[in-house]
Amino acid sequence: MNNRLPSTKEMQAFIVTAEKLKFTSAAQVLNVTQGAVSRQIISLEKKLDITLFHRHARGLSLTEKGQHFLPLIKQVLQQMKSAVEQVSTIKPLIKLKAPSCITTWLLPKIMAFQQAYPDITVALTSSIKHDTNFSSESFDAAICYCTEIKDKSLISELLFEEVLTPVCAPSLLSEGKNQLSITAMKNMPWLHSTPQQSDWSLWLADAGSTSLTSKHNQHFATLDVAVSAAKQGFGISIGDVVLASLDVASGALVMPHPLQVKSGKGYYLASSKTSNNLSLPILVSWLLDHTK
């Protein structure tokens, strides 16, 4: 065997370092020490008998040889991984993280995806956190709730914008009615997903009723718990139109007022640009096609 051929560790270290242009940042992504990354790069440069990086006081930059080598070595790694997947008996795995409030909406889509692509396994983890650090968490993708994703190291796609409206159980409405006036709502318990009551405040501001308050308020840690309480008839919650759609269609919830307000936030499907999971683009494309 040609001893000048780089190892997969050396190739991976070069790719990540070329994208981060700092040994410390590359070490965090690879979950090794800075010295280990530096040694991998030095070993690779010795095998190739070329300099891949210019070393600066505040970071690195690729040499001309390094710039030429980067896309070639990326292609080699992708081909190797594709070859392994084609002959391996182990199903490709996608590790997906999502906020707990979105799981009721997401689960039917994941199950439908599994039926469409039985050879790909999706491992779903729910969390009360609304973001993900791909450097420290071992997920291939995550659904993030935010105004926008500014991190340039990530690829993101908007699944849907958050649109807020009151939701409650049909039992709270008078027989034969499916609507409530804003003033009538003050006589019912208001269910809040945050201590700041921000969702209600935003909706009332757009309704021009900022001074309106409820005599009874109940706070919960997450949106899904507040909406679950609303389904059980404990009061009225502010819910997202898309997330509540299945419960509205089944008759478990109603939207008793026509006003719907955009919060300025949305649910984004994000993944690292350095991800080498060949099945991930299939899931991303499928979710986008089945969300619009």
Side-chain angles (χ1 to χ4, degrees), residues 92-165:
L93 173 67
I94 300 172
K95 290 180 285 185
L96 175 64
K97 179 182 176 182
S100 59
C101 63
I102 203 175
T103 51
T104 300
W105 172 87
L106 181 61
L107 273 174
K109 297 183 183 299
I110 294 299
M111 297 309 296
F113 174 82
Q114 299 276 213
Q115 291 180 345
Y117 296 92
D119 293 331
I120 301 175
T121 298
V122 179
L124 177 62
T125 300
S126 64
S127 170
I128 60 172
K129 290 185 177 181
H130 289 162
D131 58 3
T132 298
N133 186 336
F134 288 101
S135 298
S136 59
E137 298 180 76
S138 59
F139 294 103
D140 297 300
I143 295 177
C144 304
Y145 169 73
C146 55
T147 52
E148 62 177 320
I149 294 181
K150 297 180 180 179
D151 190 338
K152 294 183 179 179
S153 70
L154 302 181
I155 301 170
S156 63
E157 296 281 357
L158 176 65
L159 291 174
F160 60 90
E161 292 181 282
E162 183 180 53
V163 180
L164 302 176
T165 195

Side-chain angles (χ1 to χ4, degrees), residues 70-285:
L70 180 59
L72 298 176
I73 210 67
K74 278 186 174 181
Q75 183 179 13
V76 168
L77 271 184
Q78 290 285 15
Q79 289 174 338
M80 289 174 63
K81 290 178 179 180
S82 178
V84 169
E85 286 187 0
Q86 288 180 34
V87 299
S88 175
T89 57
I90 301 175
K91 288 185 177 181
L93 173 67
I94 300 172
K95 290 180 285 185
L96 175 64
K97 179 182 176 182
S100 59
C101 63
I102 203 175
T103 51
T104 300
W105 172 87
L106 181 61
L107 273 174
K109 297 183 183 299
I110 294 299
M111 297 309 296
F113 174 82
Q114 299 276 213
Q115 291 180 345
Y117 296 92
D119 293 331
I120 301 175
T121 298
V122 179
L124 177 62
T125 300
S126 64
S127 170
I128 60 172
K129 290 185 177 181
H130 289 162
D131 58 3
T132 298
N133 186 336
F134 288 101
S135 298
S136 59
E137 298 180 76
S138 59
F139 294 103
D140 297 300
I143 295 177
C144 304
Y145 169 73
C146 55
T147 52
E148 62 177 320
I149 294 181
K150 297 180 180 179
D151 190 338
K152 294 183 179 179
S153 70
L154 302 181
I155 301 170
S156 63
E157 296 281 357
L158 176 65
L159 291 174
F160 60 90
E161 292 181 282
E162 183 180 53
V163 180
L164 302 176
T165 195
V167 293
C168 67
S171 59
L172 291 188
L173 304 181
S174 300
E175 188 174 351
K177 291 187 177 181
N178 58 8
Q179 294 288 294
L180 281 173
S181 67
I182 296 178
T183 53
M185 293 181 189
K186 71 178 182 179
N187 298 317
M188 298 180 179
W190 289 2
L191 311 176
H192 303 278
S193 59
T194 64
Q196 299 80 15
Q197 305 182 5
S198 54
D199 289 350
W200 270 102
S201 297
L202 181 65
W203 187 82
L204 289 169
D206 205 84
S209 302
T210 53
S211 61
L212 190 69
T213 58
S214 172
K215 297 177 181 178
H216 307 285
N217 293 277
Q218 179 66 51
H219 297 85
F220 299 93
T222 58
L223 175 64
D224 53 316
V225 178
V227 172
S228 177
K231 283 197 291 184
Q232 296 179 63
F234 295 131
I236 305 177
S237 174
I238 295 293
D240 176 78
V241 171
V242 172
L243 297 183
S245 59
L246 289 176
D247 287 322
V248 171
S250 69
L253 284 175
V254 293
M255 297 178 183
H257 197 280
L259 179 63
Q260 299 182 353
V261 180
K262 289 185 178 181
S263 70
K265 296 183 178 182
Y267 291 88
Y268 292 81
L269 182 59
S271 60
S272 172
K273 288 182 178 179
T274 61
S275 173
N276 294 308
N277 192 318
L278 299 180
S279 300
L280 182 56
I282 300 174
L283 175 63
V284 172
S285 178

